[in-house]
């Protein structure tokens, strides 16, 4: 499966995916890693792994529309079967989401549909939630809104803070993202008319993995 990864930052999820490709757990052909920030640390990780990197300097475009159009054209020219959003911090325009519908996955640091958007760890603590985690979902035009495929859940302790729950969330992210990708290319997972299907049935609730 030909894949590209879109990042903006450190790329630790990208690293977990690269590691899983290298050990033979993931059988995908990650042909390019694209970033809207040319200095993103994740691009260095990709280079080190021998993957082509494309750093797009967002600030050199006249406006957001021009940048988005360039990105869409770039991705279309690669024609990937899978687009892995891995800490890509810009909202993709509707045209992009529609054009590549069913081919885009995202990982989000909360138990969606709770806490879409930013600062999820702080919001979870502010609300005194007992459980937190991460979600992988198909991407549609609604922010963090497509069908949820898999989640990692863990319990929050009274000693936890944003740093500690971030670490626990990331540990889960590295596990569940590769699982979702594997299910997709194994064709256990699919996307039709806005819905996710798993082993032939509609996936009405995400698969859940608990902290061990
Ligand atoms: C992760 O927490 C992911 O859930 C969110 O952005 C962060 C990316 O981190 N979408 P990294 O760049 O993979 O380290």
């Amino acid at each position: 499966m030909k894949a590209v990864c879109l990042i903006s930052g450190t790329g630790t999820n990208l690293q977990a995916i690269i590691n899983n490709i290298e050990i033979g757990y993931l059988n995908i052909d990650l042909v390019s890693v694209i970033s809207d920030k040319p200095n993103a640390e994740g691009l260095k990780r990709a280079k080190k792994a021998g993957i082509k990197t494309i750093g797009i300097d967002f600030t050199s475009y006249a406006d957001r529309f021009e940048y988005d159009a360039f990105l869409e054209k770039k991705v279309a020219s690669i024609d990937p079967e899978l687009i892995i959003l891995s800490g890509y911090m810009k909202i993709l325009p509707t045209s992009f989401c529609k054009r590549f519908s069913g081919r885009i996955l995202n990982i989000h640091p909360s138990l969606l549909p709770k806490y879409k958007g930013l600062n999820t760890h702080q919001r979870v603590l502010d609300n005194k939630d007992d459980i937190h985690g991460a979600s992988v979902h198909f991407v549609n035009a609604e922010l963090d809104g497509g069908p949820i495929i898999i989640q990692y859940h863990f319990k929050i302790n009274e000693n936890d803070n944003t740093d500690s729950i971030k670490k626990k969330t990331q540990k889960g992210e590295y596990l569940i993202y590769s699982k979702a990708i594997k299910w997709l290319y194994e064709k256990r997972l699919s996307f039709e008319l806005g819905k996710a299907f798993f082993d032939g049935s509609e996936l009405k609730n995400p698969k859940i993995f608990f902290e061990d």
Side-chain angles (χ1 to χ4, degrees), residues 9-14 86-87 89 106-109 170 173-174:
T10 51
T12 62
N13 276 280
L14 165 67
S86 194
M89 298 306 286
N106 184 41
I107 184 135
H108 184 75
Q170 284 177 322
E173 289 184 341
Y174 307 152

Side-chain angles (χ1 to χ4, degrees), residues 113-185:
K114 288 179 97 173
Y115 308 114
K116 296 176 179 183
L118 299 173
N119 301 322
T120 58
H121 306 309
Q122 188 60 56
R123 287 152 70 200
V124 160
L125 292 179
D126 290 348
N127 283 340
K128 302 195 187 321
D129 286 3
D130 297 327
I131 295 177
H132 184 38
S135 310
V136 177
H137 63 97
F138 281 110
V139 170
N140 62 16
E142 190 198 325
L143 176 69
D144 300 322
I148 308 160
I149 299 158
I150 183 170
Q151 290 183 327
Y152 178 80
H153 288 206
F154 65 86
K155 276 198 185 139
I156 297 182
N157 305 318
E158 53 187 36
N159 299 328
D160 270 323
N161 53 41
T162 49
D163 282 348
S164 67
I165 65 170
K166 182 179 174 189
K167 274 197 192 108
K168 291 180 198 180
T169 303
Q170 284 177 322
K171 183 180 156 208
E173 289 184 341
Y174 307 152
L175 176 86
I176 62 173
Y177 215 175
S178 287
K179 277 193 190 293
I181 292 167
K182 197 176 177 69
W183 287 338
L184 194 68
Y185 73 72

Side-chain angles (χ1 to χ4, degrees), residues 70-80 83 96 99-100:
F70 177 80
L71 177 70
E72 187 172 327
K73 228 170 122 186
K74 193 84 204 160
V75 172
S77 72
I78 300 170
D79 193 24
I83 299 164
F96 189 104
R99 182 170 191 167
F100 302 108

Side-chain angles (χ1 to χ4, degrees), residues 23-94:
I23 63 168
Y25 175 77
L26 273 184
N27 184 16
I28 57 168
D29 184 14
L30 185 52
V31 294
S32 294
V33 173
I34 304 174
S35 173
D36 59 328
K37 298 204 173 79
N39 295 323
E41 195 184 328
L43 289 180
K44 292 180 196 133
R45 297 175 187 273
K47 266 191 200 133
K48 205 170 160 204
I51 300 165
K52 185 177 174 200
T53 59
I54 303 171
I56 308 172
D57 185 4
F58 168 69
T59 58
S60 68
Y61 289 82
D63 54 27
R64 182 62 189 268
F65 183 77
E66 251 195 39
Y67 163 80
D68 282 334
F70 177 80
L71 177 70
E72 187 172 327
K73 228 170 122 186
K74 193 84 204 160
V75 172
S77 72
I78 300 170
D79 193 24
E81 294 161 276
L82 172 62
I83 299 164
I84 303 165
L85 304 185
S86 194
Y88 180 67
M89 298 306 286
K90 289 196 164 50
I91 296 172
L92 290 167
T94 304

